[in-house]
Amino acid sequence: MLAILTRTLVEQITGGTGLGKDPGQAIAQISIDSRQVLHPEQTLFVALKGAKADGISFIPELLEVGVAYFLVDVQASIPSSWLEKGYFIQVKDTRVALQSLASYQRAQFAKPVVGITGSNGKTIVKEWLGQVLSQQFAVAKSPKSYNSQVGVPLSIFGIQPYHQVAILEAGVSKKGDMDTLAEMIRPDLGIFTNIGSAHEEGFAGIAAKIAEKLKLFAGTKLLLYCKDQDLLAQEIEQQVPEENRISWSKNP
């Protein structure tokens, strides 16, 4: 993780309130998966509630292996036996809190960040670009297809101080999704792979989908895009100044 956190700093960033036994350790890892805890005494476990599992249910086993810090919903029931072993930071929404921590971590990284979005090809372009850049630079990049509201924070937490460039991908399925992702990623350089029919049901039309994805590049220095897709090129060229865009094409 880029910046070492303290429980006080986590409370400030997330607006949470803490209770329980504070071991006074620095937080060097943030985890949402009970199976992927490497240094429990320096781990903050974020108890997310998903469609299949609730992170709260894994807390007893995590306390047993020595996990020190937990980020939990303010409405969660915390037994007194848990408070004797760990420190619990209660927040209104654990996913929003996770994203706030990621935004803070992104702000600590002063080197170039490449942001990639589009209907298809995000992951393969990220992997290809990572291979090319890694010949000269220490590269951090999103693992697998981590481009969602939870995947992007996890990708950001993988950025280390020695990295010289980060490549992050962003995927959206409905209007409003990109607002949070753009706030976390804040790319210096952007790549818009293409526009297609994926997640069509989440938008009023293709123009609305392009507009949503373009939110990612509001502050980019350069945006690369495909000139062959007429509507995509038209929208980009209306919104992005000429000096901030580079197009490619299959046609001379």
Side-chain angles (χ1 to χ4, degrees):
M1 191 166 61
L2 194 65
I4 300 298
L5 301 171
T6 64
R7 65 95 176 165
T8 303
L9 185 54
V10 171
E11 289 170 355
Q12 290 173 352
I13 294 168
T14 64
T17 55
L19 65 162
K21 180 184 177 183
D22 180 8
Q25 293 275 357
I27 297 169
Q29 180 186 9
I30 296 175
S31 176
I32 66 167
D33 190 336
S34 62
R35 300 163 297 181
Q36 296 181 354
V37 174
L38 300 177
H39 304 287
E41 71 283 353
Q42 292 183 300
T43 294
L44 172 68
F45 179 77
V46 182
L48 297 174
K49 190 169 185 177
K52 296 182 179 179
D54 189 338
I56 286 287
S57 62
F58 299 103
I59 289 179
E61 64 186 72
L62 289 166
L63 286 168
E64 288 302 313
V65 298
V67 173
Y69 297 99
F70 299 87
L71 198 63
V72 298
D73 192 282
V74 71
Q75 297 178 339
S77 176
I78 304 175
S80 58
S81 58
W82 292 5
L83 297 176
E84 295 171 3
K85 296 181 179 180
Y87 190 81
F88 295 80
I89 300 171
Q90 295 181 302
V91 294
K92 292 180 180 179
D93 186 316
T94 51
R95 189 179 74 167
V96 171
L98 180 74
Q99 294 166 341
S100 297
L101 290 169
S103 292
Y104 174 83
Q105 291 285 21
R106 164 64 183 93
Q108 310 312 305
F109 189 66
K111 295 161 188 173
V113 172
V114 180
I116 304 173
T117 195
S119 296
N120 307 101
K122 296 183 290 295
T123 301
I124 194 66
V125 168
K126 177 204 67 188
E127 293 298 330
W128 284 343
L129 186 57
Q131 287 185 25
V132 172
L133 290 176
S134 64
Q135 296 177 37
Q136 284 190 279
F137 304 101
V139 179
K141 56 186 175 66
S142 305
K144 303 178 184 178
S145 296
Y146 278 27
N147 57 35
S148 67
Q149 301 291 320
V150 172
V152 167
L154 297 180
S155 299
I156 291 172
F157 297 143
I159 301 173
Q160 301 297 330
Y162 64 83
H163 283 130
Q164 295 170 287
V165 59
I167 311 171
L168 304 171
E169 57 175 292
V172 297
S173 58
K174 63 183 186 302
K175 182 176 173 57
D177 277 357
M178 191 59 86
D179 294 323
T180 305
L181 300 183
E183 169 60 27
M184 287 188 284
I185 297 173
R186 281 172 275 172
D188 301 289
L189 304 171
I191 301 174
F192 202 132
T193 60
N194 54 40
I195 196 70
S197 60
H199 303 296
E200 214 162 50
E201 66 282 357
F203 300 93
I206 192 166
K209 184 159 56 172
I210 293 171
E212 184 68 24
K213 291 178 182 292
L214 278 175
K215 290 179 182 177
L216 178 62
F217 307 121
T220 55
K221 298 171 185 174
L222 283 176
L223 172 60
L224 284 72
Y225 66 100
C226 182
K227 185 75 171 178
D228 297 342
Q229 294 196 299
D230 293 340
L231 184 57
L232 174 61
Q234 179 182 327
E235 292 292 329
I236 289 174
E237 288 161 11
Q238 285 179 351
Q239 296 188 41
V240 181
E242 186 175 359
E243 63 270 19
N244 297 123
R245 61 179 195 254
I246 300 175
S247 63
W248 80 83
S249 173
K250 294 179 183 178
N251 304 308

